[in-house]
């Protein structure tokens, strides 16, 4: 996970399929972006920036899916169950989830016509920024004055991503569904999921006891129980119905009948007894 081997492996596995369809780096022909807009052939840096923007945008929507599709949350929740974050939290996720993400991102790279070396660079850059954004440090760009205010809107930093990992707030049940961006916070700003606040940070982790139990397990048991959670969700209808869930007997997802996304009007505390009942 740490070395980005999953994405590189996926890219190499998918390359022959891309060639079969007449594209991809192995075909020798320009493909993807350069084929659509030949101007980029002479401007590799500009092309790399475009690749990066598309890659990061896809990551944003994939991350939204990881939270809203219950069988995917069954796996991604392992990343969120860690109570104390560190720069390695980024790589604490289920191997099946890692594989699935890698195939999606590598597929996007191949459609865009990215070269293997460029893809490696995309992955490396993202990994580094994510190790930084998961670090357990009180680094708030906002404290650097105007420079910081600009900075925290240019790059996902530890404070921004920490809000994404917040423990669910029973008073504001949709607040934790925020800040999905990987490297650029722009997608959150664009799609209304960005949370910038001066309020003290909330503790991190998950409130669902079935998922929090990950913390009592070792490396292999954690992978195994997450796989069981995934199977419990993917093998029933409720696991495919979008929304926030917790896990009941047999790891069957139980839907919360609550608003899903953080939006600015939900900032005001609202009494809500269902929130406490379904996930306390
Ligand atoms: Zn997440
Ligand atoms: Zn994270």
């Amino acid at each position: 996970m740490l070395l980005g081997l999953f994405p590189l492996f996926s890219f190499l596995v998918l390359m022959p399929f891309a060639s079969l369809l007449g594209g991809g780096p192995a075909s020798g022909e320009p493909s993807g972006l350069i084929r659509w807009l030949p101007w980029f052939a002479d401007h590799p840096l500009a092309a790399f920036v475009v690749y990066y923007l598309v890659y990061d945008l896809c990551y944003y929507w994939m991350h939204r899916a990881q939270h809203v599709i219950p069988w995917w949350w069954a796996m991604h929740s392992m990343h969120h169950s860690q109570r104390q974050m560190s720069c390695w939290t980024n790589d604490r996720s289920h191997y099946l989830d890692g594989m699935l993400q890698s195939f999606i991102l590598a597929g996007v790279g191949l459609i865009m016509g990215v070269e293997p070396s460029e893809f490696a660079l995309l992955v490396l850059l993202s990994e580094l920024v994510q190790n930084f954004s998961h670090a357990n440090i009180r680094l708030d760009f906002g404290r650097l004055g105007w420079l910081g205010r600009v900075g925290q809107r240019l790059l996902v930093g530890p404070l921004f991503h920490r809000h994404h990992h917040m423990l669910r707030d029973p008073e504001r049940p949709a607040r934790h569904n925020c800040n999905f961006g990987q490297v650029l916070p722009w997608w959150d700003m664009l799609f209304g999921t960005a949370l910038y606040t001066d309020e003290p940070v909330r503790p991190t982790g998950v409130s669902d006891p079935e998922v929090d139990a990950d913390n009592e397990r070792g490396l292999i048991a954690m992978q195994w129980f997450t796989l069981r959670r995934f199977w419990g969700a993917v093998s029933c209808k409720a696991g495919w119905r979008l929304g926030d869930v917790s896990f009941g007997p047999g790891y069957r997802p139980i839907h919360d009948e609550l608003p899903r996304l953080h939006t600015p009007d939900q900032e005001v505390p609202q009494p809500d007894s269902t929130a406490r009942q379904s996930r306390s």
Side-chain angles (χ1 to χ4, degrees), residues 69-99:
I69 303 174
W71 60 256
W72 212 345
W73 169 248
M75 293 190 284
H76 183 59
S77 54
M78 185 186 136
H79 171 66
H80 278 266
S81 63
Q82 189 154 45
R83 297 176 191 143
Q84 183 170 337
M85 292 167 71
S86 81
C87 67
W88 307 124
T89 302
N90 178 33
D91 301 299
R92 182 200 204 254
S93 51
H94 197 266
Y95 299 138
L96 184 63
D97 188 14
M99 214 38 151

Side-chain angles (χ1 to χ4, degrees), residues 246-268:
S246 44
F247 295 94
Y251 294 116
R252 296 294 190 216
I254 302 165
H255 279 78
D256 303 337
E257 304 307 330
L258 292 166
R260 279 191 221 134
L261 280 181
H262 153 74
T263 54
D265 21 322
Q266 285 158 5
E267 300 275 330
V268 191

Side-chain angles (χ1 to χ4, degrees), residues 178-204:
C178 65
N179 301 3
F180 296 89
Q182 175 189 223
V183 169
L184 303 167
W186 307 343
W187 319 119
D188 284 294
M189 287 150 76
L190 191 65
F191 299 111
T193 50
L195 174 65
Y196 289 102
T197 173
D198 292 330
E199 287 177 31
V201 291
R202 286 182 54 72
T204 48

Side-chain angles (χ1 to χ4, degrees), residues 59 63 76 79-80 85 89-90 130 133-134 161 164-165:
Y59 187 95
H63 193 183
H76 183 59
H79 171 66
H80 278 266
M85 292 167 71
T89 302
N90 178 33
Q130 288 190 85
S133 69
H134 283 92
H161 195 67
H164 176 70
H165 276 262

Side-chain angles (χ1 to χ4, degrees), residues 9-253:
F9 171 77
S10 316
F11 192 87
L12 296 178
V13 166
L14 288 180
M15 252 171 68
F17 292 101
S19 314
L20 273 180
L21 297 171
S27 67
E29 297 289 320
S31 64
L33 180 68
I34 290 177
R35 187 155 156 198
W36 304 319
L37 297 166
W39 179 84
F40 282 104
D42 302 321
H43 300 85
L45 200 63
F48 188 78
V49 170
V50 174
Y51 292 149
Y52 202 86
L53 287 173
V54 176
Y55 179 89
D56 205 57
L57 175 63
C58 289
Y59 187 95
Y60 169 84
W61 281 108
M62 188 176 71
H63 193 183
R64 290 275 300 263
Q66 286 178 307
H67 279 256
V68 82
I69 303 174
W71 60 256
W72 212 345
W73 169 248
M75 293 190 284
H76 183 59
S77 54
M78 185 186 136
H79 171 66
H80 278 266
S81 63
Q82 189 154 45
R83 297 176 191 143
Q84 183 170 337
M85 292 167 71
S86 81
C87 67
W88 307 124
T89 302
N90 178 33
D91 301 299
R92 182 200 204 254
S93 51
H94 197 266
Y95 299 138
L96 184 63
D97 188 14
M99 214 38 151
L100 181 61
Q101 288 185 54
S102 298
F103 271 103
I104 292 172
L105 293 173
V108 169
L110 282 164
I111 292 170
M112 286 192 297
V114 176
E115 295 288 329
S117 56
E118 291 172 323
F119 189 71
L121 198 59
L122 284 177
V123 172
L124 182 69
L125 276 176
S126 307
E127 277 291 314
L128 285 176
V129 173
Q130 288 190 85
N131 286 143
F132 167 65
S133 69
H134 283 92
N136 192 12
I137 48 175
R138 286 176 188 270
L139 180 67
D140 175 4
F141 290 140
R143 290 187 189 166
L144 303 171
W146 70 268
L147 191 67
R149 279 193 292 279
V150 173
Q152 65 181 351
R153 279 165 178 77
L154 288 181
L155 188 74
V156 168
L159 183 66
F160 188 86
H161 195 67
R162 201 186 166 103
H163 289 318
H164 176 70
H165 276 262
M166 74 167 80
L167 199 58
R168 174 181 258 246
D169 184 348
E171 301 297 329
R172 289 177 288 191
R175 194 169 167 83
H176 63 288
N177 275 331
C178 65
N179 301 3
F180 296 89
Q182 175 189 223
V183 169
L184 303 167
W186 307 343
W187 319 119
D188 284 294
M189 287 150 76
L190 191 65
F191 299 111
T193 50
L195 174 65
Y196 289 102
T197 173
D198 292 330
E199 287 177 31
V201 291
R202 286 182 54 72
T204 48
V206 287
S207 43
D208 181 350
E210 288 293 350
V211 179
D212 187 58
D214 285 349
N215 291 295
E216 315 304 327
R217 297 173 179 139
L219 176 78
I220 296 169
M222 208 189 289
Q223 292 285 328
W224 169 243
F225 278 89
T226 303
L227 195 63
R228 284 180 58 184
R229 202 151 71 216
F230 164 72
W231 183 248
V234 81
S235 60
C236 70
K237 256 190 187 168
W240 294 82
R241 187 160 70 84
L242 305 187
D244 269 6
V245 295
S246 44
F247 295 94
Y251 294 116
R252 296 294 190 216

